[in-house]
């Protein structure tokens, strides 16, 4: 269109830069708001770098171009050529005075607006994820993944690509999604851990970021049926080393994200200072002591019971720092966890519970080396021991003390961004009632 130069394109952030007043820019993006009165069009538009107000006068644009710009719907796409000037009333104290507006896609009326039901919004998730809160949350999630990888790189932990389709129901199978793999049972991976353990002997320190699948029937605000699983496996590592590593990683990620994502965090209601205040060492609480405390507070729990969302919430509601919960009963935990020396009733495992009631974000443990113990535990949970023959081989050929953990990325992001429900930490949440859009 006449008047809009083809190149170069500026980011909106450039129009918001301190020295941009008086500059002529060409920006492109999506219309967030639009109002027209008395021959002036007031738009708000966004691109990946920010949002800005645009004003266009009929006189400046010409009758036909003004009409076309006026007709652009919310979420329609435009290109604007104009001059940056100050406007004390605009949220950014800036506006672009349009010289020309090119309509890229005028769009149809946008179906998402205020006060619609949660179901409607989830049915239209492909459109609702454009909201400022979702945008901020997913930017934070990307920063979390970036910070995790940066930390692991600094610690010389190597990224691996374990399979997602598998013939092993790693955790026993009760929560595994099964499918027909050319006539044999196949499972969607619940954890990459067994494969990461196999990759330890050559690499010593490995990690993977993969989707994990859990056919969780329980509808809680912290369970998805598909989630992003960061798993780390470390050779020559004992419980103390494992806790220190986990703590170091979480603090590094929280501080990194608090620093780089301050505006996004503030937008979703998290004060970055709260994340910067998290420092090692995290308090360590024995499972047995936690059960006693809960029983004392009137919870119907006794030694041997699993602690669910409600109990974890009670344990962490007033906490400001994450907590390590240690030494769970053997029967509650996965078959591969190492028995505590001198106490076969418990395993050398630690969950990290996020503060403010958010609860478990990491499950960590030392790994069992004894094939007899592994077999016993697999039989106890009714697993097909034959499926684990290859895993037992790892104990026959240079097994060394090793340990590792799994972190639910969406759980971590939920805490960081203070989302009520875990579904709002992932663009297309999978829950028992929904796998579309
Ligand atoms: P929970 O008791 O909350 O169901 P879990 O003990 O089954 O958790 P693990 O098997 O230890 O969890 O998995 C490692 C990590 O993966 C957990 O600490 C959590 O952060 C995350 N996670 C587990 N299940 C889910 C899920 N259904 N949705 C999202 N994240 C999950
Ligand atoms: Mg579970």
């Amino acid at each position: 269109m006449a008047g809009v130069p083809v190149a170069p394109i500026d980011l909106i952030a450039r129009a918001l830069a301190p020295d941009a007043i008086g500059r002529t820019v060409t920006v492109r993006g999506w219309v967030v708001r639009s109002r027209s009165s008395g021959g002036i069009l007031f738009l708000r538009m966004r691109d990946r770098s920010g949002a800005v107000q645009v004003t266009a006068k009929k006189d400046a644009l010409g009758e036909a171009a003004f009409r076309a710009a006026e007709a652009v719907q919310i979420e329609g796409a435009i290109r604007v050529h104009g001059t940056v000037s100050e406007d004390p009333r605009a949220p950014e104290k800036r506006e672009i005075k349009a010289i020309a507006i090119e309509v890229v896609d005028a769009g149809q009326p946008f179906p998402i607006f205020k006060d619609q039901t949660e179901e409607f919004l989830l049915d239209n998730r492909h459109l609702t994820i454009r909201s400022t809160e979702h945008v901020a949350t997913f930017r934070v999630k990307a920063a979390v993944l970036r910070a995790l990888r940066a930390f692991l790189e600094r610690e010389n932990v190597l990224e691996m690509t374990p399979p997602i389709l598998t013939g092993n129901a790693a955790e026993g199978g009760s929560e595994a999604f099964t499918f027909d793999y050319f006539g044999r049972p196949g499972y969607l991976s619940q954890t990459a851990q067994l494969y990461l353990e196999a990759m330890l002997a050559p690499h010593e320190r490995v990690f993977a970021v993969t989707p994990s699948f859990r056919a969780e029937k329980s509808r809680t605000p912290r369970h998805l049926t598909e989630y992003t699983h960061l798993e780390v496996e470390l050779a020559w590592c004992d419980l103390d080393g494992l806790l220190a590593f986990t703590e170091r990683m979480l603090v590094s990620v929280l501080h990194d994200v608090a620093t780089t994502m301050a505006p996004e965090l503030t937008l979703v209601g998290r004060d970055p200072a709260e994340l910067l205040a998290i420092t090692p060492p995290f308090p360590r609480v024995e499972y047995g002591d936690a059960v006693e405390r809960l029983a004392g507070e009137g919870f119907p729990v006794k030694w041997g019971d699993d602690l669910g969302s409600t109990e974890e919430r009670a344990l962490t509601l007033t906490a400001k720092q994450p907590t390590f919960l240690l030494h769970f009963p053997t029967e509650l935990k996965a078959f591969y966890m190492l028995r505590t020396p001198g106490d076969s009733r418990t395993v050398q495992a630690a969950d990290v519970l996020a503060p403010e009631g958010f609860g478990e974000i990491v499950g960590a443990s030392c790994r069992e080396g004894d094939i007899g113990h592994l077999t016993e535990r697999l039989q106890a949970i009714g697993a097909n021991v034959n499926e684990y023959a290859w895993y037992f081989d790892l104990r026959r050929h240079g097994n060394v003390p090793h340990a590792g953990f799994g972190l639910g990325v969406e759980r971590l992001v939920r805490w960081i961004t203070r989302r009520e429900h875990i579904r709002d930490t992932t663009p297309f949440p999978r829950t028992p009632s929904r796998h579309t859009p």
Side-chain angles (χ1 to χ4, degrees):
M1 191 192 129
V4 182
V6 174
I9 297 293
D10 300 297
L11 287 175
I12 286 175
R14 180 154 165 79
L16 301 177
D19 63 350
I21 303 291
R23 192 171 273 163
T24 302
V25 294
T26 304
V27 295
R28 61 186 170 190
W30 290 262
V31 171
V32 178
R33 268 204 300 275
S34 171
R35 177 171 63 85
S36 151
S37 79
I40 307 184
L41 178 62
F42 298 91
L43 292 174
R44 189 170 168 77
M45 66 182 287
R46 64 146 208 283
D47 68 5
R48 65 189 156 88
S49 74
V52 69
Q53 174 176 300
V54 175
T55 58
K57 290 194 172 136
K58 196 185 282 183
D59 301 348
L61 262 57
E63 179 77 28
F66 186 81
R67 284 259 157 75
E70 239 184 343
V72 176
Q73 301 287 334
I74 302 301
E75 292 300 322
I78 55 173
R79 216 144 62 96
V80 174
H81 180 59
T83 311
V84 181
S85 65
E86 260 170 303
D87 179 3
R89 290 157 303 174
E92 289 78 22
K93 313 275 176 253
R94 288 291 164 86
E95 66 172 13
I96 298 175
K97 287 195 190 311
I99 298 164
I101 295 180
E102 179 193 355
V103 178
V104 178
D105 175 19
Q108 296 181 18
F110 197 58
I112 311 300
F113 39 88
K114 269 201 166 113
D115 303 324
Q116 284 164 320
T117 67
E118 192 62 37
E119 274 312 291
F120 179 87
L121 295 176
L122 286 167
D123 286 341
N124 289 280
R125 190 72 166 187
H126 50 292
L127 300 176
T128 54
I129 48 175
R130 300 182 190 190
S131 80
T132 49
E133 287 223 335
H134 283 310
V135 168
T137 305
F138 300 131
R139 283 174 61 93
V140 169
K141 188 179 191 178
V144 165
L145 285 165
R146 198 161 57 226
L148 282 167
R149 285 201 168 93
F151 171 84
L152 292 163
E153 166 109 46
R154 286 200 298 279
E155 297 270 338
N156 295 306
V157 187
L158 209 61
E159 183 159 10
M160 296 286 138
T161 56
I164 304 302
L165 306 183
T166 170
N168 284 83
E171 309 255 347
S174 64
E175 290 177 345
F177 282 105
T178 58
F179 64 95
D180 175 61
Y181 193 77
F182 305 106
R184 279 166 294 157
Y187 305 94
L188 293 181
S189 172
Q190 296 171 289
T191 168
Q193 185 201 312
L194 306 192
Y195 295 102
L196 290 179
E197 283 188 71
M199 293 188 263
L200 268 195
H203 302 293
E204 297 189 32
R205 298 157 79 82
V206 292
F207 79 95
V209 180
T210 60
S212 270
F213 302 88
R214 308 269 171 114
E216 312 261 12
K217 287 185 198 75
S218 54
R219 288 161 200 235
T220 77
R222 64 177 209 185
H223 285 96
L224 294 164
T225 53
E226 174 180 349
Y227 70 96
T228 312
H229 207 169
L230 164 74
E231 291 174 274
V232 173
E233 200 66 29
L234 305 168
W236 315 108
C237 188
D238 62 9
L239 189 62
D240 284 340
L242 179 64
L243 299 192
F245 185 97
T246 309
E247 210 165 54
R248 216 163 50 242
M249 182 185 79
L250 286 172
V251 169
S252 164
V253 169
L254 294 169
H255 289 198
D256 191 327
V257 171
T259 313
T260 56
M261 291 283 124
E264 286 80 0
L265 291 170
T266 309
L267 191 144
V268 296
R270 163 67 70 195
D271 180 355
E274 290 160 345
L275 303 180
L276 292 170
I278 288 171
T279 47
F282 302 162
R284 283 136 164 87
V285 177
E286 293 290 318
Y287 162 86
D289 294 337
V291 167
E292 266 182 37
R293 186 184 134 186
L294 287 165
E297 290 173 13
F299 283 87
V301 288
K302 54 181 191 318
W303 202 96
D305 290 346
D306 205 356
L307 307 181
S309 308
T310 322
E311 290 81 16
E312 287 182 7
R313 187 176 149 76
L315 287 172
T316 61
L317 200 54
T318 58
K320 294 273 175 270
Q321 298 282 325
T323 309
F324 279 116
L325 198 53
L326 298 165
H327 298 120
F328 294 86
T330 311
E331 286 73 32
L332 289 185
K333 290 291 181 182
F335 75 95
Y336 46 69
M337 296 194 180
L338 179 64
R339 297 180 188 197
T340 308
D343 177 15
S344 68
R345 294 191 318 155
T346 67
V347 282
Q348 291 214 296
D351 284 356
V352 178
L353 308 187
E356 304 164 2
F358 284 101
E360 180 179 341
I361 53 172
V362 173
S365 75
C366 300
R367 313 309 192 188
E368 179 65 65
D370 184 302
I371 294 176
H373 287 169
L374 290 168
T375 308
E376 208 179 285
R377 289 286 297 124
L378 281 169
Q379 283 166 344
I381 59 173
N384 179 359
V385 178
N386 295 332
E387 286 175 7
Y388 298 83
W390 69 266
Y391 181 68
F392 291 173
D393 264 353
L394 306 177
R395 306 307 194 247
R396 297 189 180 104
H397 305 284
N399 183 56
V400 300
H402 63 287
F405 61 84
L407 173 147
V409 174
E410 286 80 10
R411 294 245 181 125
L412 176 59
V413 172
R414 176 177 171 239
W415 164 41
I416 291 178
T417 59
R418 301 183 69 164
R419 298 298 84 188
E420 185 80 17
H421 200 289
I422 194 167
R423 66 172 167 242
D424 285 328
T425 64
T426 199
F428 295 98
R430 267 63 182 117
T431 57
S433 58
R434 183 176 287 282
H435 64 343
T436 177

